[in-house]
Amino acid sequence: MGGVLSGLGKGIAVSSIARLLQGAGYRVSAMKIDPYVNVDAGTMNPTEHGEVFVTKDGLETDQDIGNYERYLGVELSKDSYMTTGQVYLSVIHRERNLEFRGKSVQVVPHIPEEVIRRIKHAAQVNRSEIMIIEIGGTVGEYENLLFLEAARMMHLQDPASVQFILVSYLPIPHVLGEMKTKPTQHAVRALNSAGIHPDFVLCRAERPLDKPRKERISVFCNMHPDDIISAQDASSVYEVPINFEREKLGTKILTKFGLKERTKDLAEWRRLVSKIHRNRRSVSIGIIGMYFATGEFTLTDSYLSVIESIKHACWSLGVQPQLMWLDAEAYEKNPKALKGLVAYDGIIVPGGFGTRGVEGKIAAIEYVRTHGIPYFGLCYGLQLAVVEFARHVLKLHKANTTEIDPKTPYPIIDMMPDQREKLERRDFGGTMRLGEYRCKLVRGTRAHEAYGTGQVRERHRHRYEVNNAFRARLEKRGFMVSGVNPDRNLVEIMELPQHPFFMGVQFHPEFKSYPLQPHPLFSAVVKASMTKKRPTRTKGR
């Protein structure tokens, strides 16, 4: 759980601890509890909540599930995510089905009991020996109080099997130049008021925690100094497991459980961190999006998995990524700004929805296509690439996606029939094409070469697809379909063979990239971006 303020990196802390315990030889899983009344994260605005991550079985979750998967190198199920909305919905459903047998259904104890049931079920499904649960928000908030109550009840029932870790913030006001412990003291007391005493406090700060600060927290929070862990800022989030190992956090957790390390295996992770800092050559990737601005700040969390996937691929290929956020609307307001795209080694258009910045993206896609700049389009990035190609190569000037223009004479991208039925019923939440689906690859294509196999499974989140009625015309002019879903004959991957690298995918490969195992398609676009020789302008076939 978190204290003082949000955004301290509880998800990274959970992931890093999970990696340590996994390296010690245990089957470890993780779970996120979001205190929102939303049933899932699919209806939340990315600029407010960050990226929506999709599990293999199709649940739209918080981005921290993605962190857990990346650090553990495993695929988690929908059981690893819980919201207030899910919990209440489940209890109400059981009440309607008379499962409480006439009892008065109350917030306490029935809501915390449902939380506990879900935690134990998730541990069983994931075959976990150790389950790490992250409670969203900060202690002292009304929203997560019932989850803290569930945690207290679990500890009461089996104190030897439950530990509590508080992630708290120690500010260093510049006018004082001193690290202050008082906010953390108050956070611990707020946690105490919920009936919970932390076993560990992870002290987030700009700099490492010193001995006087540890002693002060120890005295005022009634904790042993060894249980107060320094969690200073790191140049890369992938350093955090190494930093925690230095503090012997994994060993300390196991000791409190009465367990011993079975192995000690962080060698591969150490090599990763070493590689991150050793790379000297860089590759510049521009990401054209629309979920960046939040007031006067830039929220890159909207595309967290895309960013991490680029990093994974770059590090594995011995280069450092230089990422630049490019506002699609800027190209609508000032078309001359498109010339600036030649400064980048590669361009990515990630997923999204709605009309905002669409014409700017299409203009940018035309520019990179005709100037030989490596391009990778994800979901919406594929769809808009098809729209661009239809307009400027097939000369279907009013071609569009029906998401933007329902009356377009050339619906090059159209809604799937089953999705149209759902929207007519106003059945919005959790009804997109979600989760893993098969993709059959065409031999001899870049996609097939990158994957090195004939069939893969990738995760989806969309309602619209390439319209098969236009597929033959697209392929006749050179826009090749290199991946198809064999079950419904849906386009999954398209590419331009004559281009240095121009590929779009209907799925989200960023959901299956890991630091120790980069996604092959991200590796492919980074390889292409590393090649400096490219034509100044390609002929539009």
Side-chain angles (χ1 to χ4, degrees), residues 8-182:
L8 290 177
K10 291 193 300 296
I12 297 299
V14 168
S15 304
S16 299
I17 294 169
R19 184 73 201 188
L20 286 181
L21 298 176
Q22 185 187 60
Y26 288 87
R27 293 194 306 274
V28 184
S29 190
M31 182 180 204
K32 174 67 182 285
I33 296 176
D34 256 339
Y36 301 107
V37 180
N38 304 64
V39 174
D40 55 49
T43 57
M44 299 184 197
N45 189 328
T47 57
E48 294 181 12
H49 185 254
E51 174 189 79
V52 175
F53 187 85
V54 179
T55 60
K56 63 179 180 180
D57 50 0
L59 185 68
E60 296 165 295
T61 73
D62 179 83
Q63 63 190 22
D64 279 321
I65 299 296
N67 285 323
Y68 305 161
E69 288 200 0
R70 283 188 281 273
Y71 280 67
L72 285 169
V74 300
E75 293 186 309
L76 300 176
S77 70
K78 61 184 179 182
D79 300 291
S80 295
Y81 186 65
M82 184 194 318
T83 66
T84 296
Q86 284 181 13
V87 173
Y88 273 88
L89 196 63
S90 178
V91 170
I92 291 169
H93 179 75
R94 290 174 58 206
E95 183 273 329
R96 293 287 82 187
N97 287 344
L98 300 180
E99 292 181 37
F100 289 97
R101 299 185 179 182
K103 290 183 180 178
S104 174
V105 181
Q106 298 175 288
V107 171
V108 178
H110 295 112
I111 296 299
E113 285 176 350
E114 173 64 15
V115 173
I116 294 170
R117 185 195 68 78
R118 285 173 171 263
I119 289 172
K120 291 183 176 181
H121 175 71
Q124 186 178 23
V125 167
N126 292 307
R127 297 177 60 249
S128 309
E129 293 176 292
I130 301 175
M131 169 72 84
I132 307 177
I133 300 118
E134 175 187 351
I135 300 178
T138 56
V139 294
E141 293 178 329
Y142 176 78
E143 287 182 321
N144 62 19
L145 189 59
L146 289 171
F147 299 114
L148 295 178
E149 176 67 5
R152 183 196 66 79
M153 290 168 61
M154 287 187 73
H155 185 266
L156 179 65
Q157 293 165 6
D158 191 358
S161 296
V162 179
Q163 293 182 40
F164 301 110
I165 300 178
L166 176 70
V167 182
S168 189
Y169 182 58
L170 281 74
I172 308 175
H174 293 297
V175 292
L176 299 178
E178 179 189 4
M179 185 182 289
K180 309 301 289 185
T181 65
K182 192 66 71 175

Side-chain angles (χ1 to χ4, degrees), residues 6 111 148 178 182 271 471 481 533:
S6 60
I111 296 299
L148 295 178
E178 179 189 4
K182 192 66 71 175
R271 284 194 293 272
R471 190 162 141 187
V481 175
K533 294 181 180 179

Side-chain angles (χ1 to χ4, degrees), residues 31 175 202-203 289 336 357 417 426 435-436 448 458 518 530 533 538 540:
M31 182 180 204
V175 292
L202 303 187
C203 297
K336 291 182 179 180
R426 298 191 62 79
E436 278 193 349
H448 184 271
E458 293 284 2
M530 290 167 62
K533 294 181 180 179
T538 61

Side-chain angles (χ1 to χ4, degrees), residues 124-272:
Q124 186 178 23
V125 167
N126 292 307
R127 297 177 60 249
S128 309
E129 293 176 292
I130 301 175
M131 169 72 84
I132 307 177
I133 300 118
E134 175 187 351
I135 300 178
T138 56
V139 294
E141 293 178 329
Y142 176 78
E143 287 182 321
N144 62 19
L145 189 59
L146 289 171
F147 299 114
L148 295 178
E149 176 67 5
R152 183 196 66 79
M153 290 168 61
M154 287 187 73
H155 185 266
L156 179 65
Q157 293 165 6
D158 191 358
S161 296
V162 179
Q163 293 182 40
F164 301 110
I165 300 178
L166 176 70
V167 182
S168 189
Y169 182 58
L170 281 74
I172 308 175
H174 293 297
V175 292
L176 299 178
E178 179 189 4
M179 185 182 289
K180 309 301 289 185
T181 65
K182 192 66 71 175
T184 293
Q185 294 176 38
H186 285 297
V188 171
R189 288 175 186 173
L191 192 57
N192 293 160
S193 69
I196 295 173
H197 188 79
D199 292 274
F200 298 95
V201 174
L202 303 187
C203 297
R204 289 284 294 110
E206 294 176 23
R207 300 200 295 268
L209 201 64
D210 59 9
K211 187 177 179 182
R213 249 49 59 170
K214 279 197 175 189
E215 291 175 346
R216 190 171 301 170
I217 295 171
S218 170
V219 170
F220 286 99
C221 297
N222 192 32
M223 298 179 66
H224 194 282
D226 286 347
D227 296 336
I228 299 160
I229 308 298
S230 182
Q232 68 272 18
D233 290 349
S235 58
S236 167
V237 293
Y238 298 106
E239 293 178 27
V240 177
I242 308 301
N243 292 345
F244 284 172
E245 185 193 35
R246 197 175 296 120
E247 294 270 322
K248 299 181 179 178
L249 179 56
T251 302
K252 292 174 181 178
I253 290 171
L254 291 175
T255 300
K256 284 180 182 276
F257 279 137
L259 302 172
K260 294 183 178 180
E261 292 178 327
R262 296 168 180 167
T263 61
K264 199 169 183 67
D265 183 16
L266 276 182
E268 200 173 7
W269 201 267
R270 288 183 181 281
R271 284 194 293 272
L272 168 71

Side-chain angles (χ1 to χ4, degrees), residues 445-483:
T445 61
R446 283 205 177 105
H448 184 271
E449 180 185 358
Y451 279 109
T453 185
Q455 186 166 286
V456 294
R457 298 184 69 87
E458 293 284 2
R459 301 184 195 179
H460 296 67
R461 184 176 184 250
H462 58 100
R463 297 187 193 276
Y464 294 80
E465 284 277 354
V466 175
N467 190 337
N468 279 334
F470 294 89
R471 190 162 141 187
R473 296 169 72 177
L474 290 165
E475 291 205 271
K476 184 177 179 180
R477 296 302 303 273
F479 208 173
M480 182 180 186
V481 175
S482 55

Side-chain angles (χ1 to χ4, degrees), residues 374-413:
Y375 173 79
F376 192 29
L378 313 174
C379 195
Y380 212 18
L382 163 70
Q383 295 175 3
L384 296 182
V386 174
V387 170
E388 185 280 318
F389 193 87
R391 288 181 183 180
H392 301 118
V393 179
L394 300 186
K395 304 303 180 183
L396 305 177
H397 300 296
K398 293 184 179 181
N400 215 327
T401 164
T402 54
E403 179 179 0
I404 304 301
D405 181 7
K407 297 181 179 180
T408 174
Y410 306 112
I412 202 84
I413 305 295

